[in-house]
Amino acid sequence: MSQVVDFLNEAKTYYLATVEDGQPRVRPFGAAVEYKGRVYLTTGNHKKVYKQLIANPKTEISGMAKGKWIRLSGEAVFDDSIEAKQAMFDANPSLKNLYSIDDGIFEVFYLENMQALVYSFNGEPVALEN
């Protein structure tokens, strides 16, 4: 599994930032999977975060685990394939309480041009590979 997904899973909750009308918007996320060599996340298309990512796909994510924190940046690219959605469900079974593959609202996306850095209080940032 990718180092990035491993870190996000250790953090359990991480925060995704978007922009709406020039204002930053941040909310907690908690489901990630590596699929086809990319980091995938999920949301519902009825949520503001989805609309914000469609309007401006540039995003940053940050989370903390074991005294270190990660900063991811990239552009959200939505993938409507059943295979990507199934991979998300397989890695995060609790999502089945919220969504189904064909419910018309379940969305998965990956980060294009992703950069991932892990920081600590006493060292230089370390770049992670997907």
Side-chain angles (χ1 to χ4, degrees):
M1 185 176 293
S2 86
Q3 294 177 311
V4 172
V5 171
D6 286 345
F7 193 101
L8 294 175
N9 286 337
E10 281 184 35
K12 294 190 184 355
T13 302
Y14 38 92
Y15 299 87
L16 183 137
T18 58
V19 175
E20 179 182 55
D21 298 327
Q23 292 295 312
R25 304 288 185 223
V26 180
R27 78 276 297 151
F29 270 58
V33 68
E34 178 186 2
Y35 178 68
K36 291 191 173 183
R38 295 182 167 133
V39 174
Y40 273 73
L41 304 170
T42 184
T43 190
N45 61 25
H46 62 295
K47 296 181 177 182
K48 286 185 178 183
V49 65
Y50 174 81
K51 293 168 181 64
Q52 292 159 1
L53 288 171
I54 292 296
N56 180 355
K58 292 181 181 180
T59 186
E60 283 201 353
I61 296 166
S62 185
M64 192 163 194
K66 298 182 181 178
K68 296 181 180 181
W69 63 97
I70 193 167
R71 285 185 65 191
L72 303 176
S73 62
E75 294 95 42
V77 177
F78 285 88
D79 181 343
D80 64 356
S81 73
I82 290 172
E83 296 82 6
K85 291 177 180 184
Q86 187 62 55
M88 182 62 75
F89 276 144
D90 291 346
N92 302 278
S94 64
L95 289 172
K96 292 177 184 177
N97 297 328
L98 301 171
Y99 303 110
S100 65
I101 287 179
D102 59 356
D103 64 9
I105 61 171
F106 180 56
E107 301 285 348
V108 295
F109 62 96
Y110 62 88
L111 297 178
E112 185 76 23
N113 302 317
M114 186 184 77
Q115 293 183 342
L117 294 171
V118 173
Y119 296 83
S120 68
F121 291 108
N122 55 5
E124 293 295 316
V126 175
L128 295 185
E129 294 190 26
N130 183 20

mmCIF file of all heavy atoms in Angstrom, residues 8 17 21 23 31 35 38 42 47 63 76-77 87 89-90 95 102 122 128-129:
data_model
loop_
_atom_site.group_PDB
_atom_site.id
_atom_site.type_symbol
_atom_site.label_atom_id
_atom_site.label_comp_id
_atom_site.label_asym_id
_atom_site.label_seq_id
_atom_site.Cartn_x
_atom_site.Cartn_y
_atom_site.Cartn_z
ATOM 1 N N LEU A 8 -2.428 8.303 6.116
ATOM 2 C CA LEU A 8 -3.810 8.746 6.313
ATOM 3 C C LEU A 8 -4.588 7.759 7.183
ATOM 4 O O LEU A 8 -5.364 8.172 8.056
ATOM 5 C CB LEU A 8 -4.512 8.947 4.976
ATOM 6 C CG LEU A 8 -3.977 10.073 4.095
ATOM 7 C CD1 LEU A 8 -4.688 10.086 2.749
ATOM 8 C CD2 LEU A 8 -4.072 11.424 4.780
ATOM 9 N N ALA A 17 -9.070 20.749 2.457
ATOM 10 C CA ALA A 17 -9.372 22.166 2.278
ATOM 11 C C ALA A 17 -9.760 22.454 0.832
ATOM 12 O O ALA A 17 -9.160 21.936 -0.106
ATOM 13 C CB ALA A 17 -8.161 23.018 2.659
ATOM 14 N N ASP A 21 -16.109 30.929 -2.888
ATOM 15 C CA ASP A 21 -16.261 32.386 -2.912
ATOM 16 C C ASP A 21 -15.080 33.097 -2.252
ATOM 17 O O ASP A 21 -15.247 34.055 -1.512
ATOM 18 C CB ASP A 21 -17.570 32.798 -2.237
ATOM 19 C CG ASP A 21 -18.791 32.243 -2.942
ATOM 20 O OD1 ASP A 21 -18.737 32.098 -4.188
ATOM 21 O OD2 ASP A 21 -19.787 31.942 -2.263
ATOM 22 N N GLN A 23 -13.181 32.093 0.089
ATOM 23 C CA GLN A 23 -12.982 31.742 1.491
ATOM 24 C C GLN A 23 -12.544 30.281 1.613
ATOM 25 O O GLN A 23 -13.102 29.405 0.943
ATOM 26 C CB GLN A 23 -14.279 31.930 2.292
ATOM 27 C CG GLN A 23 -14.702 33.358 2.428
ATOM 28 C CD GLN A 23 -13.692 34.161 3.244
ATOM 29 O OE1 GLN A 23 -13.265 33.761 4.299
ATOM 30 N NE2 GLN A 23 -13.305 35.299 2.704
ATOM 31 N N ALA A 31 -11.657 8.317 4.889
ATOM 32 C CA ALA A 31 -11.614 7.107 4.062
ATOM 33 C C ALA A 31 -10.684 7.344 2.875
ATOM 34 O O ALA A 31 -10.852 8.308 2.134
ATOM 35 C CB ALA A 31 -13.012 6.736 3.573
ATOM 36 N N TYR A 35 -5.603 2.914 -5.309
ATOM 37 C CA TYR A 35 -6.202 2.202 -6.437
ATOM 38 C C TYR A 35 -5.459 2.612 -7.703
ATOM 39 O O TYR A 35 -5.301 3.817 -7.968
ATOM 40 C CB TYR A 35 -7.696 2.530 -6.540
ATOM 41 C CG TYR A 35 -8.382 1.877 -7.716
ATOM 42 C CD1 TYR A 35 -8.558 0.497 -7.755
ATOM 43 C CD2 TYR A 35 -8.833 2.624 -8.786
ATOM 44 C CE1 TYR A 35 -9.177 -0.112 -8.835
ATOM 45 C CE2 TYR A 35 -9.459 2.030 -9.867
ATOM 46 C CZ TYR A 35 -9.622 0.666 -9.889
ATOM 47 O OH TYR A 35 -10.231 0.068 -10.967
ATOM 48 N N ARG A 38 -2.820 5.291 -7.314
ATOM 49 C CA ARG A 38 -3.225 6.649 -6.933
ATOM 50 C C ARG A 38 -3.912 6.628 -5.580
ATOM 51 O O ARG A 38 -4.500 5.629 -5.182
ATOM 52 C CB ARG A 38 -4.188 7.234 -7.961
ATOM 53 C CG ARG A 38 -3.577 7.448 -9.313
ATOM 54 C CD ARG A 38 -4.602 8.067 -10.246
ATOM 55 N NE ARG A 38 -3.972 8.567 -11.442
ATOM 56 C CZ ARG A 38 -4.421 8.346 -12.648
ATOM 57 N NH1 ARG A 38 -5.514 7.642 -12.848
ATOM 58 N NH2 ARG A 38 -3.802 8.844 -13.697
ATOM 59 N N THR A 42 -13.178 9.937 -0.992
ATOM 60 C CA THR A 42 -14.583 9.841 -1.353
ATOM 61 C C THR A 42 -15.410 10.950 -0.728
ATOM 62 O O THR A 42 -15.040 11.510 0.303
ATOM 63 C CB THR A 42 -15.153 8.463 -0.934
ATOM 64 O OG1 THR A 42 -16.493 8.364 -1.394
ATOM 65 C CG2 THR A 42 -15.111 8.275 0.566
ATOM 66 N N LYS A 47 -22.952 17.094 -1.409
ATOM 67 C CA LYS A 47 -22.253 17.902 -0.408
ATOM 68 C C LYS A 47 -21.561 19.102 -1.047
ATOM 69 O O LYS A 47 -21.161 19.082 -2.211
ATOM 70 C CB LYS A 47 -21.224 17.046 0.330
ATOM 71 C CG LYS A 47 -21.854 15.931 1.121
ATOM 72 C CD LYS A 47 -20.797 15.132 1.843
ATOM 73 C CE LYS A 47 -21.428 14.047 2.690
ATOM 74 N NZ LYS A 47 -20.403 13.291 3.428
ATOM 75 N N GLY A 63 -3.122 15.929 7.972
ATOM 76 C CA GLY A 63 -3.495 15.078 9.089
ATOM 77 C C GLY A 63 -2.277 14.797 9.929
ATOM 78 O O GLY A 63 -1.137 14.986 9.491
ATOM 79 N N ALA A 76 -8.199 17.465 -7.596
ATOM 80 C CA ALA A 76 -9.161 16.370 -7.530
ATOM 81 C C ALA A 76 -9.653 16.017 -8.929
ATOM 82 O O ALA A 76 -10.082 16.888 -9.683
ATOM 83 C CB ALA A 76 -10.343 16.762 -6.644
ATOM 84 N N VAL A 77 -9.586 14.725 -9.245
ATOM 85 C CA VAL A 77 -10.111 14.201 -10.501
ATOM 86 C C VAL A 77 -11.109 13.112 -10.131
ATOM 87 O O VAL A 77 -10.738 12.106 -9.518
ATOM 88 C CB VAL A 77 -8.994 13.617 -11.388
ATOM 89 C CG1 VAL A 77 -9.579 13.007 -12.656
ATOM 90 C CG2 VAL A 77 -7.951 14.682 -11.716
ATOM 91 N N ALA A 87 -13.278 -0.530 -4.959
ATOM 92 C CA ALA A 87 -12.016 -0.516 -4.209
ATOM 93 C C ALA A 87 -12.165 0.309 -2.932
ATOM 94 O O ALA A 87 -11.661 -0.080 -1.865
ATOM 95 C CB ALA A 87 -10.890 0.040 -5.084
ATOM 96 N N PHE A 89 -14.995 0.873 -1.253
ATOM 97 C CA PHE A 89 -15.832 0.076 -0.342
ATOM 98 C C PHE A 89 -15.047 -1.068 0.292
ATOM 99 O O PHE A 89 -15.192 -1.349 1.478
ATOM 100 C CB PHE A 89 -17.045 -0.495 -1.072
ATOM 101 C CG PHE A 89 -18.200 0.440 -1.184
ATOM 102 C CD1 PHE A 89 -18.982 0.434 -2.324
ATOM 103 C CD2 PHE A 89 -18.545 1.314 -0.167
ATOM 104 C CE1 PHE A 89 -20.071 1.284 -2.443
ATOM 105 C CE2 PHE A 89 -19.622 2.168 -0.282
ATOM 106 C CZ PHE A 89 -20.387 2.154 -1.418
ATOM 107 N N ASP A 90 -14.234 -1.743 -0.497
ATOM 108 C CA ASP A 90 -13.459 -2.872 0.025
ATOM 109 C C ASP A 90 -12.500 -2.416 1.125
ATOM 110 O O ASP A 90 -12.329 -3.120 2.122
ATOM 111 C CB ASP A 90 -12.680 -3.560 -1.095
ATOM 112 C CG ASP A 90 -13.578 -4.295 -2.082
ATOM 113 O OD1 ASP A 90 -14.783 -4.511 -1.769
ATOM 114 O OD2 ASP A 90 -13.075 -4.637 -3.177
ATOM 115 N N LEU A 95 -18.374 2.626 4.823
ATOM 116 C CA LEU A 95 -19.011 3.518 3.849
ATOM 117 C C LEU A 95 -20.329 2.952 3.332
ATOM 118 O O LEU A 95 -21.198 3.692 2.889
ATOM 119 C CB LEU A 95 -18.080 3.795 2.667
ATOM 120 C CG LEU A 95 -16.873 4.677 2.944
ATOM 121 C CD1 LEU A 95 -15.941 4.693 1.745
ATOM 122 C CD2 LEU A 95 -17.318 6.085 3.304
ATOM 123 N N ASP A 102 -24.325 2.373 -6.789
ATOM 124 C CA ASP A 102 -25.232 2.906 -7.809
ATOM 125 C C ASP A 102 -26.307 3.838 -7.244
ATOM 126 O O ASP A 102 -27.356 4.017 -7.850
ATOM 127 C CB ASP A 102 -25.886 1.759 -8.574
ATOM 128 C CG ASP A 102 -26.669 0.821 -7.666
ATOM 129 O OD1 ASP A 102 -26.646 1.007 -6.433
ATOM 130 O OD2 ASP A 102 -27.303 -0.107 -8.195
ATOM 131 N N ASN A 122 11.242 18.305 14.594
ATOM 132 C CA ASN A 122 12.701 18.318 14.740
ATOM 133 C C ASN A 122 13.432 17.783 13.506
ATOM 134 O O ASN A 122 14.498 17.211 13.634
ATOM 135 C CB ASN A 122 13.114 17.521 15.968
ATOM 136 C CG ASN A 122 12.579 16.101 15.955
ATOM 137 O OD1 ASN A 122 11.980 15.687 14.976
ATOM 138 N ND2 ASN A 122 12.796 15.364 17.019
ATOM 139 N N LEU A 128 6.913 11.811 0.426
ATOM 140 C CA LEU A 128 6.409 10.446 0.332
ATOM 141 C C LEU A 128 6.054 10.145 -1.102
ATOM 142 O O LEU A 128 5.579 11.018 -1.828
ATOM 143 C CB LEU A 128 5.158 10.236 1.192
ATOM 144 C CG LEU A 128 5.310 10.348 2.697
ATOM 145 C CD1 LEU A 128 3.994 9.990 3.372
ATOM 146 C CD2 LEU A 128 6.435 9.475 3.212
ATOM 147 N N GLU A 129 6.230 8.896 -1.464
ATOM 148 C CA GLU A 129 5.772 8.445 -2.768
ATOM 149 C C GLU A 129 4.399 7.858 -2.610
ATOM 150 O O GLU A 129 4.064 7.316 -1.564
ATOM 151 C CB GLU A 129 6.736 7.417 -3.339
ATOM 152 C CG GLU A 129 8.095 8.032 -3.647
ATOM 153 C CD GLU A 129 8.963 7.088 -4.437
ATOM 154 O OE1 GLU A 129 8.412 6.224 -5.158
ATOM 155 O OE2 GLU A 129 10.175 7.239 -4.346
#
